[in-house]
Amino acid sequence: MIERKYGILKRRFPCLSIGLNCHIDRVPAIVVACCVLHNLCIRLEDPEPPADPQIEALVRQLELENEDATLSFETRSRCPASFAKRNVIVTNFFSN
């Protein structure tokens, strides 16, 4: 039920699905504003927004890109040379 409500919120405000392109300090205020406006829409009995195929396709594309980046990062982090380099940096800059 909660996932369904998140889906409705994301359909009403696609910026929450696609991602916010702003300074990180503004994100909480934007999310709260979207929630307040969504609750106002519910009180005014505004119909739930229909699914937008273009936005859903863009979200799927972004999810695939994120999966690729995560897999790439996980593969690199297991590389012995990268692990050794990271340990040198940690030792040199973060050890007493």
Side-chain angles (χ1 to χ4, degrees):
M1 183 171 164
I2 291 172
E3 291 296 324
R4 184 176 179 280
K5 295 298 180 181
Y6 283 142
I8 294 169
L9 185 65
K10 288 179 178 182
R11 281 197 311 271
R12 192 177 302 272
F13 303 101
C15 65
L16 299 176
S17 294
I18 297 168
L20 299 171
N21 189 16
C22 63
H23 194 274
I24 192 80
D25 292 340
R26 292 185 179 193
V27 172
I30 293 171
V31 172
V32 169
C34 290
C35 292
V36 169
L37 291 171
H38 177 69
N39 288 337
L40 185 61
C41 290
I42 291 171
R43 284 190 180 183
L44 297 175
E45 298 179 0
D46 189 46
E48 292 179 5
D52 186 343
Q54 290 178 333
I55 291 177
E56 289 180 3
L58 180 59
V59 169
R60 278 194 299 275
Q61 179 183 354
L62 291 171
E63 287 172 348
L64 290 174
E65 289 173 3
N66 286 339
E67 285 178 15
D68 291 344
T70 301
L71 292 174
S72 173
F73 176 76
E74 289 174 355
T75 303
R76 284 194 313 259
S77 66
R78 293 185 182 148
C79 175
S82 297
F83 188 73
K85 185 183 277 188
R86 186 191 75 186
N87 284 342
V88 168
I89 293 170
V90 168
T91 302
N92 289 338
F93 295 102
F94 301 105
S95 298
N96 292 335

